[in-house]
Amino acid sequence: MKRLTCLVAIFLLAGCSHETSWEDRDYAEDMDVAQTVFDNGRMAQAEFKYREAFKRAFLVNDPQAIHDAGFNLATSQVRQNHVKDALKTIDRTLSALENRQFAQRDDLHLIKAAALYRQKHYQASMREARWAQSSSDRATADEAVAFVGYNAAVLKDDATLSATIQTLSHADKMRNRANLLELQTLSDLAHHQWLQALGKAQTLVVYRRENDDYLAMRRALELQVQAYNGSGQWQDAQRVRQQIKDSVAQEKNGR
């Protein structure tokens, strides 16, 4: 069965390619088309095709297909900030996999952590992230570490935030560079190190933009606003706020 390219960067969630010796043809076609439009940043189209594949997976009663299509459908929903829909997809997928005694579920808990984080349910997101942190898949585990850190920052748990920074500092540098940089920025802001935070946030904007993750890009811009405000640069903060508004407005109006 088919999934996307490996997990990278918070809110740029995707899966890892996997194929079995057998695939339902209609399911495979839906998944292939969905991946193509997902890779092109067409999340609404990707969501539609992943939903079709998800339905087909239940029809053919293939647990791997249910897992992969459910994971990718939820991913496309989270990327569009369709959080309630994503949580419904995740819970249905988890229930179906438990019923079929399919053990691979850590990555679904990671997606759930992302969705709950966006709903500002930080304690619940932390629990899901810690579950996923035990994954045998290194990319999933690293991403979960980042989520633990993001929640810790909001909850003002400086010890846990510092621990996640330390952990990711020793992980794959390229794969985790955006997550690590955002955690470091949050730590700088928590310690009122405004100029250091500003420099990191500016670089983070570039990383998120390059990954076509515009929600995360706007979050990085918001960190710039905090840094500018902290250092008393009110006009610069207002300038960046307008950039965020422009991005949101264009997204609402369509690409």
Side-chain angles (χ1 to χ4, degrees), residues 171-191:
D172 185 286
K173 288 182 169 45
M174 189 63 186
R175 186 180 65 231
N176 294 292
R177 65 175 186 171
N179 281 337
L180 178 58
L181 189 60
E182 187 158 346
L183 292 171
Q184 291 169 334
T185 305
L186 289 167
S187 180
D188 285 345
L189 289 171
H191 293 94

Side-chain angles (χ1 to χ4, degrees), residues 113 125-135 144 148 152 157 160 164:
S125 177
M126 177 83 83
R127 287 193 295 272
E128 295 295 326
R130 289 200 181 281
W131 183 306
Q133 192 176 342
S134 63
S135 175
V148 171
D157 183 349
T160 298
T164 61

